[in-house]
Amino acid sequence: MKAIPVEPGPSAPRPSVLRRLSRPLAALAAVALPTAYIAAVDPNAPGHYPTCPVLRATGWWCPGCGGLRCVHALTRGDLTTAGHDNLLVLLLAGVAAVFWLRWLWAALTGGPAPGFAIGGRGVVLLTLVLVVFTVLRNLPMGAGLAPPAL
């Protein structure tokens, strides 16, 4: 078969900067609104948020226990307290911030949005990290990973 040359057709118009920024900014708003609520309503004061069902049923800190307190401390700029409340949430917030900044840059420059995919090994690794984190924070040697009791 003989290859037939294809002439380039009219390229699709490039979306405006505002259109390209709409998704990253919508994601920012979706995170900023609940974060603003957590900043305003202190999770350290009892009665504002429900008790973790895992903590209530087992007495063990789950991987998310202290996450609201961590976010509250982050809104105050207190990284030490945030890390003590939930180190895993602090690390994930940093990863999410870097990912969002890459997405914002891609939208500003017109580049492709960064991809994010977790394969089977990634799922196993994340599960293992969650299990190890949960067990460690509930042992006496990992008490520094557990949030302070209210």
Side-chain angles (χ1 to χ4, degrees), residues 31-81:
V31 172
L33 291 173
T35 301
Y37 180 80
I38 294 168
V41 181
D42 188 358
N44 295 300
H48 295 293
Y49 299 95
T51 303
C52 171
V54 174
L55 180 62
R56 177 175 273 165
T58 66
W60 275 47
W61 301 106
C62 80
C65 281
L68 290 175
R69 291 186 233 176
C70 175
V71 171
H72 183 75
L74 283 174
T75 63
R76 305 273 185 272
D78 189 354
L79 291 175
T80 304
T81 301

Side-chain angles (χ1 to χ4, degrees), residues 62-141:
C62 80
C65 281
L68 290 175
R69 291 186 233 176
C70 175
V71 171
H72 183 75
L74 283 174
T75 63
R76 305 273 185 272
D78 189 354
L79 291 175
T80 304
T81 301
H84 179 55
D85 288 339
N86 193 316
L87 185 59
L88 194 58
V89 168
L90 178 62
L91 294 174
L92 290 175
V95 169
V98 168
F99 182 77
W100 184 83
L101 286 170
R102 287 182 57 213
W103 188 16
L104 180 69
W105 181 253
L108 283 171
T109 61
F116 185 77
I118 298 177
R121 288 184 182 180
V123 170
V124 170
L125 180 64
L126 285 175
T127 302
L128 185 62
V129 166
L130 287 174
V131 168
V132 169
F133 179 71
T134 302
V135 171
L136 278 178
R137 73 190 319 211
N138 285 288
L139 294 175
M141 69 178 179

